Structure formats: C-alpha cells, structure tokens
Amino acid sequence: MISPFLVLAIGTCLTNSLVPEKEKDPKYWRAQAQQTLQNALRLQKLNTNVAKNIIMFLGDGMGVSTVTAARILKGQLHNSPGEESRLEMDKFPFVALSKTYNTNAQVPDSAGTATAYLCGVKANEGTVGVSAATQRTQCNTTQGNEVTSILHWAKEAGKSVGIVTTTRVNHATPSAAYAHSADRDWYSDNEMPSEALSQGCKDIAYQLVHNIKDIEVIMGGGRKYMFPKNRTDVEYEMDEKARGTRLDGLNLIDIWKSFKPRHKHSHYIWNRTELLTLDPYTVDYLLGLFEPGDMQYELNRNNVTDPSLSEMVEMAIKILSKNPEGFFLLVEGGRIDHGHHEGKAKQALHEVVEMDRAIGQAGDMTSQEDTLTVVTADHSHVFTFGGYTPRGNSIFGLAPMVSDTDKKPFTAILYGNGPGYKVVGAHNNYQAQSAVPLRHETHGGEDVAVFAKGPMAHLLHGVHEQNYIPHVMAYAACIGANRDHCASASLAGSPSPGPLLLLLALLPLGILF
C-alpha cells in the first residue's frame, strides 16, 4: 500500500517544477556553453608536474545513476531544483570510464575491484591483494600470488600514507591496500575456517597491524575485530554483538602501539570528541576506530561519538601533509553501497553528498599543481530513476503518473531487484520499489565514471580497464615500478615526467645532438 505522504507528493510535484526565469532566455544557455568552451580550451595546456600527493576517493557502489541522483539531492538540499547543481567531482576537468568486471565475474564485487584499482591487477571476486591465481576461500592458493598496492608503493617511496573509510577498516576496499587474503570476509580469526588457520593464513585485522607497520593514518569502524573474544566494547557495553571477536586473544590495539617508535606520538581514539581535540601537528600516527563494525549512516550519525567523513579527511590531510615527500590517501565512502543493498536510496544518496563534501574539503586543503585527485567507484548498482518526472521533482518523490497497467502510483527511484518489493512507509530507511524480490539488492555490471584533476590527470581519458587506474597514479607520482621517466627527469633538471617522453623518444635518433 502506498503511503499518504507519497500520494500527496504526486499532486505537488508538477507545481513545484517551475522553469527558472533565466533559463527561458537563449542567451543564458549560449553564455554558459561559451564559458564551458573557454574552460575546455585552457585544458590544452596539460599539467605534467610530478604529483607530490595522491588522493583517491572511492564511492563504493557509486554508479553513474547514483552520481546524477546525488547531484539533484545536493541541489535540493540547497533549495534549488537540483538538476543544474554541480557536485565537486563534476568540476574535475577529466573524466573516464572504468570497466569493472572481475576475472571470474561479469558483475563484480568490492574485493576483486579494490585489488584492481589499488594493486593494478584484476582478480577474482571475493579476494583482496592477490592475483587471479588465488581462489576464494582457498588459503593454500594465496602464497606466492600476493600483489602490492599503491599505498605500499607510496610508503616505499618515503611518502606518508593513510586510509579513511566509513566502513570497517578491514572491509573489502581498504583491505586491498595492505592485506593479502583469499577471502574478504576473514575480518578476524573468528570468521576464518579452521583449515585456513591451520595452513597459516592470517585474518585481515591482523594484517592491518602487521603487514605495513607504519601507516600514518587509519580511520573508520571495525573496533571489535581488534580485541579478544567477548571483550566488552567501550561504547556499547550491553551489546553482545559489539564485543571483541578474536579467538587468538590478541589485543591488536596494544600491538599497534608497540610497533611505533618511542620518540613518535601515536594516538588511538574511538570517538569524535577525541578526534577534534587532537593537534594534528603533534600527531605522527593515528588509529581511529569509531564503531565496533561499520560506521553509522550519515543521516543517523551521533555528532558526539562519530565524526563525519569530511572531518576525518580534514584531520588525515593535516597529519599527512607534514611529510615533505608528500602522501597517498585512500578515502572510501563505503556506506553508499550498503544503502543500495538495503534498498534505502535516501541513505545511499546522503552518503554520496557527504563524500562530495569531503572531496571539496580535500580540494581546499591541497593544490592541483602538485596533488592528483581521483574520484571513482568500484562498481554500480541496479539503481535508476525515471518516470518522466518534471523539473525539480523531489528525487525521492513519485513519478507524475500512475501505472497504465495496474493504475498504481510509483516512485521515480527504482531498483531492478532488492527488498523494496513491499512498499512500507516514507522515512530515512524507506526501501525504494524493486522489481525482483530479494533480501539484498545486487551490484550492477556497467562501467563507472573516473573523475581526475591534478598532475597527469589527462591520462584518465577514455574507456579503461579498472586496473589501469593505479598505474596512472603511480606514473604521475613517480612511485612503484614504472619510474624510469622520473629518474631521467631528475638528471635533466625537469620537474615533470611529461616532457621526458619526448626526450626518451628522440635520444635513440640522435636528434638532440
């Protein structure tokens, strides 16, 4: 049964969709197009500087339809029709498409895709930080098939590195930056089969602390995986599900602290108040775990205990920027994906708007002259919106007509499958209508967008395999295996890897001599 709130929306959507007066004048559109043209012409002068810093924003499940819907929501939150609004990522000068399939999956998951855009190789569904020679759940196929990430390459080059996420810090996306696991679900040893434990495989939380011991910034959720089984949580003392999970009895927080040099200042925090009172200029290492599992949705966030994504990003950049060699920062808006899986479009889209706020925050704190920023998604969802809605229609509202088959109204936002096959209520957790009844909505298999700005951003320019992305970032920053051009640039006194390609091409021909 459709709620009275939604029925009311159908009567008001048309009156709310007024054409802005300025848009009735052709001069408005011509001037806008000419300004866009001038901006495009300026892009002919490419930024070929070496990227001192790299920031990668990953919107988990943020397909193109999600980007468009979030743009409209952002505008409507500022009392405009919405369609003409611009997300921060919309302002990036270069856009590409990324092919997201896993080596064994047409429609991918977040683990295999994370391995692609962080480690530079495509992998099987459900595996992180390993090549496609590793089979999911098969521990004995892991050894020898590990692949390293751009976070590892940046650390080897002397840069500071950080991970910020709204999911667990040992979830699929962040774990590909530091772990090598045959199964993304091995959060702690409690989730691992006895066979995998006996064969010597380590859980992802353990690897977070042990594999790369000097990650400067780690922030997100996932507290319970760091503590011994049944250890009471500091925040949710009465919640059994929030208790520690580790069977090995380890306190990984204490181990994390023990690995840090005594003359360095390391901080473990668990709430927003502690985060905001930190002096970033006296912090060398920061581990912030703000929830036992994933962090709360932005709409549900407790302003006392849980920081926003943009607040975490601000602190991370302040800490990482102290390194004169620069930094690599991975930022995940991870709960976009969760909102979609649950059919909760309102939650998902507000997560995108908050991530866009964090993108703007990062842009204000860095320069395009020396910072390459890439915004992309790991995969899409079977999420869409349509129904011939008029201009300014609430993105969460009804289509302006009823079905010509069953004469019932329907929402503009629809899912191809998922839990919204039963229409119940209208609220933050409202489950948008879906065609195929499933407990959890599924990923989509289409290409996703890649937005880029800064040094060498133009190398992200067409339709690419997803594993191409970290190779571009590494090339731009002169880290990883592909840096011959950088060594030559240094000898030639050039600050940029770009002109070097011409130099290298001409040398064998003797043209320069």
Side-chain angles (χ1 to χ4, degrees):
M1 181 177 179
I2 301 291
S3 76
F5 173 81
L6 291 179
V7 173
L8 178 64
I10 196 168
T12 59
C13 64
L14 287 173
T15 57
N16 287 339
S17 78
L18 300 175
V19 178
E21 197 62 32
K22 64 183 179 181
E23 294 184 12
K24 297 177 182 179
D25 187 345
K27 293 179 181 177
Y28 168 79
W29 296 107
R30 291 167 183 155
Q32 182 197 68
Q34 287 299 317
Q35 183 59 57
T36 304
L37 177 61
Q38 292 305 312
N39 293 341
L41 288 170
R42 281 193 286 272
L43 293 178
Q44 291 181 102
K45 183 180 180 181
L46 300 176
N47 181 349
T48 57
N49 297 337
V50 173
K52 176 183 177 183
N53 311 310
I54 308 169
I55 306 176
M56 184 177 199
F57 283 91
L58 192 287
D60 199 314
M62 190 181 69
V64 172
S65 56
T66 298
V67 171
T68 307
R71 178 189 304 131
I72 294 172
L73 173 60
K74 179 181 179 180
Q76 292 180 349
L77 290 172
H78 289 86
N79 300 312
S80 73
E83 297 83 1
E84 73 294 336
S85 301
R86 296 180 77 196
L87 293 166
E88 292 297 326
M89 63 188 92
D90 292 338
K91 302 172 187 177
F92 285 28
F94 298 99
V95 182
L97 290 176
S98 168
K99 297 161 67 177
T100 64
Y101 66 92
N102 296 147
T103 46
N104 65 340
Q106 185 178 75
V107 178
D109 90 314
S110 295
T113 51
T115 304
Y117 62 73
L118 288 173
C119 302
V121 300
K122 289 221 171 195
N124 290 329
E125 173 270 339
T127 65
V128 291
V130 289
S131 73
T134 296
Q135 301 172 39
R136 185 170 188 176
T137 75
Q138 301 302 305
C139 169
N140 60 3
T141 65
T142 304
Q143 189 172 0
N145 296 319
E146 300 91 343
V147 292
T148 57
S149 75
I150 188 167
L151 181 143
H152 178 83
W153 309 338
K155 174 53 68 174
E156 282 196 325
K159 296 183 184 294
S160 292
V161 296
I163 296 169
V164 174
T165 180
T166 53
T167 66
R168 288 154 275 186
V169 294
N170 50 349
H171 208 254
T173 295
S175 64
Y178 58 82
H180 314 285
S181 179
D183 199 311
R184 58 176 286 179
D185 294 331
W186 291 350
Y187 301 119
S188 73
D189 57 350
N190 183 65
E191 290 76 39
M192 295 178 66
S194 56
E195 180 182 49
L197 291 170
S198 66
Q199 291 174 348
C201 280
K202 298 295 185 182
D203 63 87
I204 296 171
Y206 181 96
Q207 293 189 56
L208 171 61
V209 173
H210 289 83
N211 283 8
I212 306 176
K213 296 182 175 67
D214 53 352
I215 298 175
E216 280 81 2
V217 175
I218 303 167
M219 282 191 278
R223 222 166 30 223
K224 65 181 180 180
Y225 304 107
M226 304 293 174
F227 292 103
K229 185 79 171 178
N230 292 323
R231 170 74 68 87
T232 301
D233 184 70
V234 66
E235 184 177 3
Y236 305 99
E237 295 181 2
M238 305 305 293
D239 187 351
E240 292 186 4
K241 292 182 179 179
R243 293 178 179 174
T245 65
R246 302 200 63 80
L247 301 177
D248 57 16
L250 294 178
N251 182 324
L252 292 181
I253 303 301
D254 287 345
I255 294 174
W256 176 83
K257 292 177 181 177
S258 72
F259 287 153
K260 304 300 175 285
R262 289 187 178 181
H263 66 284
K264 296 289 187 178
H265 297 92
S266 57
H267 297 261
Y268 166 67
I269 59 175
W270 66 268
N271 62 61
R272 179 176 182 264
T273 302
E274 291 179 323
L275 176 69
L276 297 185
T277 55
L278 283 176
D279 178 0
Y281 304 106
T282 62
V283 175
D284 296 306
Y285 297 97
L286 176 61
L287 174 59
L289 301 177
F290 303 105
E291 285 289 331
D294 298 318
M295 295 186 69
Q296 299 292 329
Y297 284 120
E298 177 62 19
L299 282 178
N300 304 346
R301 183 169 59 84
N302 183 319
N303 285 328
V304 176
T305 56
D306 295 337
S308 67
L309 183 61
S310 52
E311 288 171 338
M312 292 191 290
V313 166
E314 180 179 4
M315 180 61 71
I317 292 176
K318 286 179 178 178
I319 294 171
L320 298 175
S321 294
K322 295 182 296 183
N323 187 342
E325 297 299 318
F327 64 84
F328 169 81
L329 175 61
L330 171 65
V331 181
E332 183 196 19
R335 303 223 63 196
I336 302 166
D337 177 71
H338 296 174
H340 280 323
H341 278 308
E342 296 172 0
K344 299 173 182 176
K346 190 169 187 178
Q347 298 283 14
L349 296 185
H350 275 273
E351 292 295 306
V352 180
V353 171
E354 172 56 26
M355 191 179 85
D356 196 65
R357 190 176 294 117
I359 294 169
Q361 178 73 50
D364 291 341
M365 299 176 70
T366 56
S367 168
Q368 289 193 52
E369 291 302 306
D370 66 358
T371 301
L372 172 63
T373 305
V374 176
V375 180
T376 189
D378 46 359
H379 55 74
S380 185
H381 275 267
V382 291
F383 165 89
T384 189
F385 67 99
Y388 300 113
T389 48
R391 179 76 178 274
N393 198 67
S394 167
I395 192 62
F396 303 118
L398 291 176
M401 79 281 279
V402 296
S403 167
D404 59 5
T405 301
D406 64 10
K407 308 305 178 184
K408 293 181 179 180
F410 59 96
T411 54
I413 286 177
L414 296 168
Y415 286 99
N417 56 50
Y421 56 94
K422 294 181 180 179
V423 180
V424 181
H427 41 69
N428 287 350
N429 290 323
Y430 169 74
Q431 292 176 317
Q433 290 173 285
S434 65
V436 177
L438 290 176
R439 291 182 181 177
H440 298 282
E441 179 263 4
T442 71
H443 295 169
E446 72 270 24
D447 299 349
V448 297
V450 186
F451 305 86
K453 68 176 181 177
M456 293 294 170
H458 57 279
L459 297 179
L460 292 161
H461 63 95
V463 180
H464 305 297
E465 294 286 359
Q466 193 169 46
N467 67 293
Y468 171 69
I469 297 171
H471 292 277
V472 170
M473 294 190 292
Y475 183 92
C478 291
I479 61 176
N482 182 16
R483 48 186 175 178
D484 290 345
H485 59 291
C486 305
S488 302
S490 178
L491 290 173
S494 169
S496 159
L500 223 35
L501 297 178
L502 178 61
L503 173 66
L504 294 175
L506 296 178
L507 277 174
L509 302 176
I511 294 177
L512 297 182
F513 303 96

